[in-house]
């Protein structure tokens, strides 16, 4: 899908299938003001992830300034623990998942200097050490926190954030790569651990981890692309595993994986665009898992990121390995 | 922040609804406040009130991993002291490595040990010294008393671990996709190994496998429950729990699961992971391997004859055929077939799949399989496609474009690759 042909096609879509940019921006801005809703308090354990999802959406929509930079950095730093790791909110405990979000947020708002100045310990190095210490030096995989649960999501998170910090050499990348390879299945996909069933979200973490490590040559691209392309179902959306219903978040996990291995054209982009847009709330903003459901910031992020991979007009380009704006990755990695 | 299957509503709330919601928020935040006021310093102590508080919060919000973490500390503190009972990693963001907590927790634990013989931690009350007298009165030989103490401690540990597993089971049933509950449950099981005699620990783990089967009856595809199953089985097989291989039983389990539901890709997947080990452990001869392969292939084809729309079956068929076509450097079912035998297998499959077309003209999977195995055959024989094959591939691709236009980009690539 490229250029003018795509633009024309999309202009023919009815109004409710146009991306409601202004509404989505307002929706993301409103997220931190919903203190009269119980769900706001019940989701505090996801706050830093939520900020990352919201910020990705805003950056891709071309409005990075819609959340104030100073407050963003202040909040992120308020979530840091002495260990260097980050919690989802100030009172909570640290975990890999939030540490990665913290690094990604700081990367997007160009806030590494503030981390160096005001972060715990030695700034970037302390954060990186927290993550590096979570690597299992025997198998190469990573734990989420000191309690030891391991998952390819944590391995990916570590490679993502450490590469952004420029400190990937603190971990054994070769061993991490070996571990990802050990998670490969006969269908070309990857699971959460060796032996686990292929799952689109885990596949993305594994494929993106290999790409960040510069080892995407280890992927059986034909086999994987065949399995991934079969995730697209009749309504245009993607499911995460065979025989499951489509869900907007897989628009990202499947599509970004296909993009990394150069097979994005194996699915129908127009049908996917329609599916994602039919799941948006055009008035109040936000995108849901599927048409007619409640919106949330997770699906809003991955829906918009999916549209960005498909070069939807007016959106900033997204990096399929990092789920962050390409411009951010270029600025940091100098690629 | 991530909701699934919740219908979109107008968002309008009546005054009464708003009042009720604010009331709920107030209660929830009060609980949180109490929780943090007792745990924010790095030297929080076990108290029955704090333990109860974690229960209240987790019942309201089982995703609250910080509360689970505190509960781990509390649970450890109620067990007999072990050399290293803190987190398995000593990266120390949390309180366990700080001296304050260690003292506080071990203090609590020794206190409770001497005090009780022991009910579940949940029902523990502040009256800790109630039974101390009785223990001291029995002034028999010192070793006898020590034995008694040890037995009491062991019973205490077993009770605490089992009541904790019992407490979270209803939560797991209500939130079967919550990572934190599954993680916490694994962690308790590891405690069972560390704290209980091996026979007791084994019984706990065996019961857990039964529970997992139950979870998989409720949702046959639950990703967590399948992962949990592999984890349980690996441990039950290990010497740590005095185990032996369970590959035959587990293979049998996938037979039952796939027979009950042919579309259960999770079960087919697990089967594919068990087969190489199964054959190795059986010490299967080439002849037996081939018989196994034929039976397995026959089984999946029988299912395809009835339901050729089922992609789970086709993926499994593809797995079996990769033993024939894609066998270099992989664990395969039939490693010692010669080229001629392999070619015969693939040729036969192509013929039989083509026969499916007589009954099912419009099932795209059939054309896809024909395409794939024709290309495999050509690669196996290390030759170019002949004219007849090219013609057939062209026809099948035409049908695929018609039946499966979503993936036209893929069919374009195949056409280019085959130089049609």
């Amino acid at each position: 899908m490229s250029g003018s042909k795509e633009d024309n096609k999309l202009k023919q879509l009815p109004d409710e299938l146009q991306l409601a940019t202004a509404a989505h921006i307002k929706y993301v801005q409103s997220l931190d003001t919903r203190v009269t809703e119980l769900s706001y308090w019940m989701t505090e354990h996801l706050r830093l992830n939520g900020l990352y999802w919201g910020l990705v959406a805003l950056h891709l929509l071309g409005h990075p300034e819609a959340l104030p930079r100073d407050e963003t950095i202040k909040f992120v730093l308020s979530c840091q623990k002495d260990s260097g790791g980050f919690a989802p909110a100030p009172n909570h405990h640290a975990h890999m998942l939030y540490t990665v979000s913290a690094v990604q947020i700081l990367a997007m708002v160009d806030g590494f200097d503030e981390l160096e100045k005001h972060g715990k310990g030695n700034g970037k190095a302390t954060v990186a050490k927290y993550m590096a210490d979570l690597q299992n030096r025997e198998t190469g995989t990573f734990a989420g926190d000191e309690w030891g649960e391991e998952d390819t999501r944590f391995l990916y998170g570590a490679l993502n954030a450490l590469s952004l910090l420029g400190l990937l050499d603190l971990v054994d990348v070769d061993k991490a790569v070996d571990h990802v390879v050990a998670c490969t299945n006969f269908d070309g996909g990857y699971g959460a651990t060796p032996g686990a069933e292929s799952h689109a979200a885990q596949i993305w973490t594994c494929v993106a981890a290999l790409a960040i490590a510069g080892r995407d040559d280890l992927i059986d691209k034909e086999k994987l692309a065949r399995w991934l392309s079969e995730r697209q179902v009749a309504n245009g959306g993607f499911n995460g595993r065979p025989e499951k219903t489509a869900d907007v978040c897989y628009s990202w996990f499947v599509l970004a994986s296909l993009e990394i291995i150069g097979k994005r054209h194996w699915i129908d982009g127009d049908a996917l665009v329609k599916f994602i847009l039919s799941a948006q709330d055009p008035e109040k903003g936000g995108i849901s898992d599927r048409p007619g459901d409640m919106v949330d910031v997770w699906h809003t992020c991955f829906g918009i990121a999916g549209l960005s991979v498909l070069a939807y007009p007016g959106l900033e380009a997204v990096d399929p390995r990092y789920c962050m704006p390409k411009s951010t990755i270029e600025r940091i990695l100098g690629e | 922040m991530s909701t699934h299957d919740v219908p979109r509503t107008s968002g309008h709330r009546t005054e009464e609804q708003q009042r009720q919601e604010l009331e709920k928020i107030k209660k929830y935040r009060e609980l949180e406040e109490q929780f943090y006021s007792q745990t924010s310093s790095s030297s929080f102590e076990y108290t029955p009130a704090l333990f109860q508080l974690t229960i209240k919060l987790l019942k309201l919000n089982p995703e609250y991993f910080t509360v689970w973490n505190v509960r781990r500390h509390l649970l450890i503190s109620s067990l007999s002291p072990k050399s290293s009972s803190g987190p398995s990693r000593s990266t120390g963001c949390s309180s366990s490595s700080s001296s304050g907590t260690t003292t506080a927790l071990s203090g609590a634990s020794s206190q409770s040990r001497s005090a009780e013989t022991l009910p579940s931690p949940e029902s523990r009350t502040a009256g800790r010294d109630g039974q101390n007298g009785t223990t001291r009165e029995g002034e028999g030989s010192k070793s006898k008393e020590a034995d008694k103490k040890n037995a009491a401690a062991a019973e205490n540990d077993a009770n605490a671990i089992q009541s904790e597993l019992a407490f979270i089971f209803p939560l797991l049933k209500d939130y079967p996709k919550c990572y934190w509950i599954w993680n916490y449950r694994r962690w308790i099981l590891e405690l069972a190994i560390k704290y209980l005699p091996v026979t007791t620990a084994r019984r706990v783990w065996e019961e857990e496998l039964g529970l997992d089967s139950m979870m998989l009856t409720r949702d046959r595809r639950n990703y967590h429950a399948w992962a949990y199953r592999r984890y349980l089985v690996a441990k039950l097989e290990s010497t740590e729990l005095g185990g032996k291989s369970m590959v035959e039983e587990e293979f049998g389990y996938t037979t039952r699961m796939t027979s009950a539901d042919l579309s259960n890709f999770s079960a087919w997947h697990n089967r594919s992971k068990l087969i190489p080990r199964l054959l190795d452990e059986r010490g299967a001869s080439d002849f037996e391997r081939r018989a196994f392969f034929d039976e397995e292939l026959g089984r999946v084809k029988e299912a395809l004859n009835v339901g050729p729309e089922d992609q789970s079956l086709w993926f499994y068929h593809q797995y079996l055929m990769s033993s024939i076509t894609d066998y270099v450097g992989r664990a395969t079912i039939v490693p010692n077939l010669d080229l001629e035998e392999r070619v015969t297998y693939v040729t036969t499959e192509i013929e039989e799949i083509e026969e499916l077309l007589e009954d099912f003209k419009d099932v795209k999977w059939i054309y896809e399989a024909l395409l794939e195995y024709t290309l495999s055959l050509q690669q196996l024989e290390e030759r170019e496609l002949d004219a007849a094959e090219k013609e057939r591939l062209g026809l099948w691709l035409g049908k695929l474009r018609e039946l499966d236009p979503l993936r036209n980009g893929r069919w374009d690539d195949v056409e280019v690759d085959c130089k049609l």
Side-chain angles (χ1 to χ4, degrees):
Chain A
M1 305 222 310
S2 63
S4 57
K5 185 182 149 206
E6 184 55 26
D7 284 7
N8 286 335
K9 247 190 197 166
L10 290 168
K11 275 181 194 142
Q12 292 160 14
L13 290 172
D15 279 354
E16 65 270 23
L17 288 185
Q18 301 292 339
L19 182 65
T21 302
H24 294 320
I25 292 168
K26 270 204 181 139
Y27 168 72
V28 174
Q29 285 175 322
S30 79
L31 288 172
D32 204 40
T33 64
R34 306 190 165 212
V35 292
T36 61
E37 294 172 25
L38 182 60
S39 63
Y40 174 85
W41 299 101
M42 297 273 274
T43 54
E44 199 177 62
H45 64 281
L46 291 171
R47 195 69 82 230
L48 208 52
N49 296 150
L51 182 54
Y52 158 75
W53 295 323
L55 209 54
V56 169
L58 293 175
H59 275 247
L60 297 179
L61 289 166
H63 289 268
E65 77 298 334
L67 289 183
R69 179 179 181 275
D70 289 351
E71 277 176 50
T72 298
I73 293 175
K74 215 170 130 195
F75 177 73
V76 171
L77 292 180
S78 76
C79 296
Q80 195 179 22
K81 303 284 151 178
D82 290 339
S83 61
F86 287 80
N91 277 332
H92 298 231
H93 287 180
H95 191 282
M96 175 73 84
L97 291 172
Y98 315 106
T99 308
V100 177
S101 282
V103 171
Q104 290 182 296
I105 293 164
L106 293 173
M108 280 190 282
V109 301
D110 200 1
F112 283 167
D113 285 349
E114 279 87 344
L115 176 64
E116 290 288 80
K117 263 186 246 153
H118 308 297
K120 305 273 185 191
N122 295 318
K124 288 200 283 189
T126 301
V127 180
K129 186 175 183 314
Y130 172 79
M131 289 187 284
D133 284 348
L134 290 170
Q135 185 173 34
N136 180 330
R137 298 281 165 166
E138 272 167 48
T139 65
T141 192
F142 284 78
D145 61 16
E146 82 266 34
W147 297 101
E149 284 92 24
E150 296 174 342
D151 184 322
T152 45
R153 288 179 306 150
F154 310 147
L155 181 152
Y156 163 71
L159 263 53
N160 174 322
L162 287 168
S163 66
L164 292 174
L165 293 171
L167 292 167
L168 209 46
D169 56 351
L170 291 185
V171 296
D172 191 335
V173 176
D174 290 342
K175 274 242 164 100
V177 166
D178 289 346
H179 181 78
V180 173
V181 171
C183 295
T184 319
N185 291 318
F186 73 83
D187 46 35
Y190 303 84
T193 55
E197 180 186 347
S198 296
H199 181 296
Q202 305 288 161
I203 288 174
W204 176 64
T205 65
C206 289
V207 166
L210 289 175
I212 288 171
R215 292 309 310 273
D216 45 336
D217 58 300
L218 295 169
I219 302 167
D220 187 338
K221 298 191 177 73
E222 291 287 319
K223 233 179 206 181
L224 176 58
R226 192 162 54 192
W227 190 90
L228 286 171
S229 69
E230 295 297 350
R231 295 308 105 238
Q232 189 164 37
V233 299
N235 66 11
F238 292 163
N239 60 21
R241 291 186 285 156
E243 320 286 350
K244 304 286 266 186
T245 31
D247 180 322
V248 161
C249 63
Y250 296 116
S251 308
W252 171 257
F253 297 123
V254 174
L255 194 64
S257 303
L258 283 169
E259 175 78 0
I260 292 171
I261 61 175
K263 305 278 189 197
R264 192 229 298 166
H265 60 290
W266 278 25
I267 52 88
D268 188 329
D270 294 342
L272 180 61
V273 167
K274 277 186 202 157
F275 176 76
I276 297 172
L277 291 178
S278 65
Q280 73 176 343
D281 183 333
E283 277 139 38
K284 294 193 197 122
I287 300 177
S288 53
D289 57 349
R290 56 188 67 98
D293 279 359
M294 281 290 274
V295 303
D296 63 67
V297 66
W298 152 276
H299 289 98
T300 305
C301 167
F302 291 122
I304 291 172
L307 293 174
S308 168
V309 176
L310 294 167
Y312 188 92
L315 290 181
E316 293 290 316
V318 67
D319 187 301
R321 300 164 300 171
Y322 288 89
C323 197
M324 290 164 67
K326 267 195 173 146
S327 55
T328 302
I329 302 303
E330 279 161 12
R331 169 168 51 77
I332 290 175
L333 302 186
E335 280 181 351
Chain B
M1 254 180 210
S2 158
T3 43
H4 287 97
D5 304 318
V6 182
R8 196 175 294 170
T9 56
S10 69
H12 177 75
R13 292 174 294 171
T14 63
E15 261 180 42
E16 177 58 16
Q17 282 169 328
Q18 284 182 40
R19 197 191 58 76
Q20 282 175 2
E21 188 148 3
L22 288 177
E23 191 56 34
K24 278 186 193 161
I25 292 173
K26 192 166 159 256
K27 279 193 183 143
Y28 180 73
R29 294 198 66 199
E30 276 167 8
L31 287 177
E32 275 192 302
E33 223 162 87
Q34 288 174 38
F35 173 79
Y36 284 117
S37 72
Q38 292 177 48
T39 58
S40 59
S41 91
S42 60
S43 58
F44 60 88
E45 254 182 89
Y46 173 92
T47 65
L50 179 55
F51 206 73
Q52 285 298 329
L53 200 52
T54 63
I55 293 176
K56 279 189 196 154
L57 273 167
L58 290 170
K59 280 186 175 164
L60 287 172
N61 187 358
E63 302 274 354
Y64 213 142
F65 78 98
T66 298
V67 181
W68 285 117
N69 285 351
V70 165
R71 200 170 164 89
R72 300 195 213 222
H73 283 294
L74 297 180
L75 187 65
I76 290 171
S77 78
S78 75
L79 301 174
S80 340
K82 292 275 173 215
S83 49
S84 68
S85 52
S88 63
R89 282 156 193 278
S90 54
T91 47
C93 84
S94 180
S95 44
S96 76
S97 58
S98 80
S99 57
T101 310
T102 313
T103 320
L105 287 174
S106 50
S109 97
S110 57
Q111 191 185 0
S112 67
R113 213 168 6 99
S114 62
E116 299 183 24
T117 45
L118 241 175
S120 75
E122 280 179 52
S123 59
R124 190 170 302 159
T125 62
R128 288 165 176 266
D129 293 327
Q131 292 181 3
N132 253 358
T134 45
T135 319
R136 285 202 192 110
E137 273 164 32
E139 283 283 339
S141 75
K142 274 187 181 173
S143 69
K144 223 179 184 181
E145 189 180 335
D147 282 354
K148 243 186 183 174
K149 264 192 175 176
N150 282 340
E155 203 186 326
N156 166 32
D157 291 352
N159 283 345
I161 286 171
Q162 272 162 340
S163 68
E164 191 64 1
L165 287 169
F167 156 63
I168 56 171
F169 185 53
L171 284 180
L172 192 62
K173 280 206 302 200
D174 288 346
Y175 304 91
K177 293 184 177 177
C178 175
Y179 279 99
W180 304 110
I181 303 180
W182 289 102
N183 286 345
Y184 183 68
R185 215 168 165 89
R186 287 185 187 217
W187 177 81
I188 302 174
L189 289 183
E190 301 288 346
L191 283 190
I193 294 180
K194 202 185 268 177
Y195 283 87
L196 305 182
V198 67
T199 46
T200 318
R202 186 167 179 87
R203 205 169 53 240
V204 170
W205 280 73
E206 277 168 352
E207 276 168 20
E208 207 58 14
L209 191 61
L211 172 144
D212 186 76
S213 298
M214 199 246 258
M215 292 301 286
L216 284 173
T217 318
R218 294 164 69 99
D219 175 3
R220 293 182 287 231
R221 297 294 306 283
N222 185 321
Y223 196 80
H224 299 277
W226 278 103
Y228 196 58
R229 184 172 197 89
R230 285 182 287 268
Y231 162 77
L232 293 173
V233 168
K235 202 64 115 180
L236 280 167
E237 287 177 325
S238 72
T239 50
E240 219 173 342
L241 285 177
K244 58 177 178 40
S245 172
M246 293 167 64
V247 71
E248 294 284 353
E249 291 98 304
E250 283 305 290
F251 183 72
Y253 181 75
T254 66
T255 307
R256 292 196 297 282
M257 290 299 267
T258 53
S259 303
D261 174 12
L262 291 169
S263 301
N264 190 339
F265 186 65
S266 305
W268 289 115
H269 162 83
N270 215 35
R271 196 172 175 85
S272 81
K273 291 287 174 187
L274 292 166
I275 286 175
R277 247 186 78 200
L278 180 85
L279 292 171
D280 282 350
E281 289 185 18
R282 282 182 184 175
S285 65
D286 282 344
F287 179 79
E288 286 163 333
R289 283 174 173 271
R290 198 159 162 172
F292 177 92
F293 182 80
D294 290 344
E295 193 187 327
E296 204 62 10
L297 196 61
R299 195 162 172 261
V300 72
K301 278 198 301 199
E302 199 178 307
L304 282 170
N305 279 330
V306 194
E309 300 89 357
D310 192 327
Q311 61 174 299
S312 303
L313 292 174
W314 284 110
F315 280 122
Y316 189 66
H317 189 268
Q318 182 188 312
Y319 159 71
L320 291 175
M321 289 304 286
S322 71
S323 252
I324 304 285
T325 60
D326 196 6
Y327 57 97
V328 182
R330 288 173 192 254
T332 90
I333 305 172
V334 280
N336 294 325
L337 294 182
D338 63 24
L339 180 63
E340 201 186 323
E341 288 166 324
R342 290 175 197 281
V343 168
T344 308
Y345 263 112
V346 182
T347 315
T348 311
E349 276 318 288
I350 294 174
E351 283 166 13
E352 292 191 6
I353 291 168
E354 222 173 344
E355 282 169 18
L356 281 176
L357 288 176
E358 290 167 18
D359 293 321
F360 306 97
K361 283 205 166 30
D362 292 329
V363 175
K364 75 124 178 172
W365 298 98
I366 302 177
Y367 298 99
E368 208 178 311
L370 288 171
L371 197 86
E372 186 186 328
Y373 296 135
T374 301
L375 295 175
S376 300
L377 186 63
Q378 169 232 345
Q379 279 157 17
L380 203 57
E381 297 186 305
E382 297 179 331
R383 57 174 174 79
E384 300 288 307
L385 290 165
D386 63 34
E389 279 172 334
K390 281 194 178 183
E391 196 189 327
R392 278 147 60 86
L393 285 171
L395 284 173
W396 296 331
L397 272 175
K399 281 302 273 189
L400 280 167
R401 286 182 204 283
E402 176 196 324
L403 298 170
D404 189 20
L406 286 177
R407 279 158 281 268
N408 270 342
R410 182 170 149 202
W411 313 135
D412 290 345
D413 279 5
V414 176
E415 186 169 330
V416 172
D417 288 348
C418 298
K419 304 189 185 89
L420 295 185

